[in-house]
Structures are given as structure tokens and as C-alpha cells.
Amino acid sequence: MKTLYLLSLVSILSLMSCKQEQPIEIGYSLADTALIPKPLEINPTHKAFGLNSETTISYKGADLKTQAELLQGALKDAFGLNLMVTDQKDSSNSINLAVEIEDTNLEAYRIDINPSLIELKGASVAGVSRGIQTIRQLVSVELVLGRENTRAIPTGTISDKPAMEYRGAMLDVARHFFSVDEVKRYIDQLAYYKINKFHMHLTDDQGWRIEIKSWPKLTTVGGSTEVGGESGGFYTQEEFKDLVAYAADRHIEIIPEVDMPGHTNAASVSYPQLNGNGKTPELYEGMEVGFSTFDTHSEKVYQFIDDVVGEIAAISPSPYFHLGGDESHSTKKEDFIYFINRVSKIVSKHDKKVIGWDEIAHADVPSPAVAQYWASNENASLAAEKGLKVLLSPAKKIYLDMQYDTQSPYGLHWAAYVPVKDAYDWDPYSYASIDESAIFGMEAPLWSETIFDTQSLEYLAFPRVLAVAELAWMPKGTTLWDDFKKRLEAQSHYFKREGINYYASPDINWE
Ligand code: ACM
């Protein structure tokens, strides 16, 4: 993709007669395109489809209308092309969307590109949604010479589906609050790289960010600050539902987390009976961890948790509820186990499955449940032995809040410095000492002690979140750093177009 020779063979004469246009010839093929994640199978045919404002997007079946419109909006925003959307099938200069392939993997899709037509077929609407991201990534950054406002898409076929069913990113909206619009912007960027789960860390010592109608002080008091003394914020339940729907249109599931029994200072400031120590704590704006705990032997606390889980479960369609469970350094081990067991039952009562940080392996959480491996190989092994699935988020590799190096203006380095290569060049299937069958998927967390807006968020997430998107998508043992790096170089076009404040790592020869 570095040097694009877009040579149109169309002569002035044939342009003037304007009946049957000659095929566009381009100096690269479908196999050379900088797709991330890299598709399973690409068969190039060495011509090109010309995308222009006369191209239509046609969809088959009302449930694809939203996808057609999302593609339309993306092409308009990125390239200024105004494509018409129709439910009438077109046979030339059209992108046709349909749910028409059979695959037990519902995210599977196939794209057939020929000079006059692009057909995208998914195994479900989700498959079409993933294929749309591929089409967006295939549109050439340069105009075709000699044709009016036309961009090339190389011809051939792509057959694709992900290896892992759970390909996630997490955002900590508790240490610093991120507005609905800031979160939507990140969701859009994640969708482009086919991430399909978005975990929201909604509560912590520094802030409670989700409205709970039966316990209103959680947000009016507990949501009023954040790290560094800023003014905090929270999502009303209506706003949370709006985020869930926005993500769902992009086939991204939002998983809510309420972190407990530690990381609960903001809750206990709002309702001091929750910590059981008879003291009213103060709002906390620092960055230490491990000092707070709920009273694990208070029925009032379990009533509170029942209300919280119940209200969130009612507005969260995800089958999962994340109960936190990390760094409960102020909770005795036997109390921690008792607490996680009790809260797991509350989560089940509200028809949700448990996800928790890897420490929950010490409790007796009934499967199906998921332990999120962030720090402890032993906890991951114990979880797998107990029949839990393990979600891979090793801090040393894919904590997006780790600094790239000593010069990074944002981030921390308690786990490691994580240059771009380190985030990609490792084997998720052998990293934890667990059987592959226990692997639930991967997730890239982004903690927000040092970030507070879109600019600082993007600096840490981009480009490393692309590494996770690809490691989770491609089949085991097929990822190669040098190959990824070449495709990463071309992402600068997308980053710049979208105004993404990526870290332009000097190790990458950005285009
Ligand atoms: C964590 O980083 N405390 C899960």
C-alpha cells in the first residue's frame, strides 16, 4: 500500500462516450492490503472496483438496514462519498449486503469483489457488520486517476471469521469519567478493528459512575469527584442504555463492572454503613489501591448489592456481570471468599453469569463463570482447575495504560513498559499455564489514573489495541510481528483521517 499506482486505462474518449467503463488497473492486489485483523483467506484477482458517489449500498432484509446506513455514514465521513442506500438488489456499481452464508461462527463473512459489484455475505448480521469494517479498510486512500472522485477497492474474495469469540477492550470510567460522546468515539474505533466486547469499569474508590435509583447518593455523592480533584460525573440509566444500544448497532456487547468488595470507597462515602467500620470515609482523589472494603458480614450490604445488580441487570442485555474482586487487600481471605460466593449467587439470581478478576479463583464461583487473568498465573491455573473459563488480560502485555517507555507522557509502569512490539509478539495460547480449552478470549484493559480525555486515552490505546484485536482474531500460531508491523504502518491514514492521537512509535515506519 506504500506507493499506490492507480492507473486508469480509461481514455478520454471512452469517458466522453461514457457507456461501458474499462476496468481500473491498480499496482497492488487484495493480498497486499493493510487489513487489521488479517483475514483468514484472501484470493486476489488483480483488478479493482471503482467506489464513487454513483455506487449504491443495497441490503437484503430489514435487519441489515442499520448496517447499510452505518457503512454509508462511514464512507461519507471518511471520503466524502454520498452513497445511496436501497433495499432493491443492484447488479452493477453496488455493494450488496446479505445474511447468506452458513457457518456456526456467526461472525463469519465472505466478500466477493469484482470490477462491477461487491457482495458481502455474513453468517448473521454480526458477520455482515464485521465484513463492513473490512470494506471500509479496503478503500484506497488515493483517488483513481482520470475518474471523477473514485476510489479503488482491489478485486478478489475474502473469507474470514475470528478464532476467539471474546475480543474485548475495557475502559476505566471511574478513576476519570469519560462522557457518553467520548465513549462512543472509542467504541467506533474499536468496531473498525472488529473488537466485539466493551467492558466498562463503572465503580472504584475514586468514583461511582452509574445511576442506581434506589441508592441515589452513589452518584450525587460518590460520582462527584475523580483522580486529581476534577468534578467526576456519571451515566444516568438512560445514558447507559443509549451506550448499550449504540454499541449493539456495531455488534459490540457492553459488560458492566461493579468492583467489590475492595475498590469501594466511593460507595462507602455515599452510604457509610457499607464499610461496617463505623467511620465515614472521605471522597478520594488519589491513586493508591487496596484500602477500602465492604463489610462482608452485613446483610444490609447484600441487600444493597442485590439492588445494584438488579438495576444494572435490567438495563444491560449482556449475559455477563463483572463483580470485580481484585486487590481486596483490606478484606480477610476467608471473608473475601464468603463475599464472592454470596455475590455470585446474587448475580445468578438476576440471570447473569459471573466475570471477576483472577482473584475470584479462590472462591467457589459456580461455572459458567470467567476469571479475568491480569496478574497471577497461579490464579489463572486455579480458575481453570475449578472449571472456570479464563479471559486473558495479562498486564505485562496488554494493559493499555502501561507506558510505552520511560518517555511516555501518560500511563504507569508497575507491570512493565509495553512497547508496541511487546503487545503483539507473544502467544496468548501458551502465556498462562492453562489448557487451551479454558481460554475464554482476550481483553485489553485501559485504566484511567493518568488519562482524562480523548487525546490521552487514544495515546495509550493506539496502536496497541490493534495488537489485541488481531491476536484474538487470527488462528493460533499464525501471527507474525513483521507482517503485522507492515500493515500497521498504513493505519496512519485512518488515524489521521479520524484525528486519533496515536503514539507514533519510532519503531514503526508510518506511512
Ligand atoms: C487490576 O488491575 N487491579 C485488575
Side-chain angles (χ1 to χ4, degrees), residues 145-435:
L145 289 176
R147 293 223 187 171
E148 188 149 354
N149 206 13
T150 296
R151 288 170 192 274
I153 296 181
T155 55
T157 63
I158 292 177
S159 289
D160 197 15
K161 59 182 164 186
M164 293 187 190
E165 199 243 291
Y166 191 113
R167 307 178 307 279
M170 185 210 85
L171 182 63
D172 171 9
V173 294
R175 268 53 172 271
H176 277 101
F177 180 66
F178 290 84
S179 70
V180 168
D181 284 345
E182 287 169 328
V183 173
K184 284 181 176 173
R185 178 176 163 91
Y186 192 37
I187 287 173
D188 275 331
Q189 296 159 351
L190 296 171
Y192 188 73
Y193 294 106
K194 303 188 176 77
I195 291 282
N196 67 349
K197 310 282 172 181
F198 185 61
H199 164 187
M200 297 184 76
H201 182 78
L202 289 166
T203 69
D204 213 301
D205 290 318
Q206 298 87 346
W208 185 286
R209 309 295 180 207
I210 177 86
E211 175 190 26
I212 303 296
K213 293 183 198 275
S214 55
W215 298 79
K217 284 200 254 173
L218 288 170
T219 44
T220 56
V221 176
S224 66
T225 189
E226 58 188 6
V227 168
E230 310 295 321
S231 60
F234 66 91
Y235 311 109
T236 64
Q237 293 196 0
E238 286 308 310
E239 286 171 328
F240 183 78
K241 285 197 277 192
D242 176 48
L243 276 176
V244 165
Y246 188 86
D249 280 347
R250 288 147 186 82
H251 288 268
I252 292 179
E253 174 187 323
I254 291 188
I255 292 112
E257 177 188 353
V258 171
D259 199 355
M260 50 194 159
H263 293 277
T264 48
N265 186 74
S268 293
V269 175
S270 312
Y271 295 100
Q273 68 267 41
L274 294 172
N275 66 17
N277 64 15
K279 298 194 188 120
T280 301
E282 304 206 328
L283 288 166
Y284 183 66
E285 299 162 353
M287 283 169 37
E288 296 303 312
V289 299
F291 62 87
S292 57
T293 184
F294 279 157
D295 179 355
T296 58
H297 290 280
S298 156
E299 286 311 310
K300 183 90 183 158
V301 166
Y302 295 108
Q303 183 52 54
F304 164 80
I305 293 169
D306 195 6
D307 293 341
V308 168
V309 176
E311 287 198 32
I312 295 175
I315 55 171
S316 171
S318 169
Y320 290 96
F321 186 92
H322 200 306
L323 53 70
D326 59 320
E327 298 174 314
S328 294
H329 304 320
S330 300
T331 322
K332 284 199 201 109
K333 185 161 180 188
E334 68 264 30
D335 293 345
F336 176 80
I337 290 170
Y338 175 77
F339 178 87
I340 296 294
N341 291 347
R342 284 282 305 262
V343 176
S344 298
K345 291 204 179 77
I346 294 172
V347 170
S348 306
K349 183 186 129 187
H350 292 287
D351 291 326
K352 301 294 180 189
K353 297 181 244 188
V354 168
I355 304 184
W357 297 105
D358 62 46
E359 290 94 325
I360 70 161
H362 295 282
D364 305 301
V365 184
S367 61
V370 178
Q372 186 166 7
Y373 170 24
W374 66 282
S376 165
N377 218 307
E378 293 76 43
N379 288 348
S381 300
L382 182 60
E385 272 166 39
K386 288 185 169 181
L388 275 66
K389 295 282 188 200
V390 176
L391 178 58
L392 301 169
S393 301
K396 287 180 188 341
K397 296 293 178 192
I398 56 172
Y399 261 31
L400 300 178
D401 56 307
M402 290 299 108
Q403 290 170 294
Y404 294 95
D405 58 36
T406 57
Q407 305 301 305
S408 300
Y410 307 108
L412 303 169
H413 57 263
W414 56 263
Y417 291 104
V418 183
V420 181
K421 181 172 194 272
D422 288 21
Y424 185 86
D425 199 10
W426 61 288
D427 176 19
Y429 293 90
S430 63
Y431 188 82
S433 316
I434 56 172
D435 194 83

Side-chain angles (χ1 to χ4, degrees), residues 185 189 404 409-410 451-464 492 494-505 510:
R185 178 176 163 91
Q189 296 159 351
Y404 294 95
Y410 307 108
I451 62 171
F452 44 85
D453 61 6
T454 278
Q455 291 279 301
S456 49
L457 181 164
E458 290 170 359
Y459 185 86
L460 289 176
F462 295 91
R464 289 179 297 191
S492 54
Y494 168 71
F495 296 159
K496 286 177 188 157
R497 206 162 60 219
E498 298 289 323
I500 295 175
N501 183 39
Y502 68 108
Y503 167 56
S505 166
W510 301 101

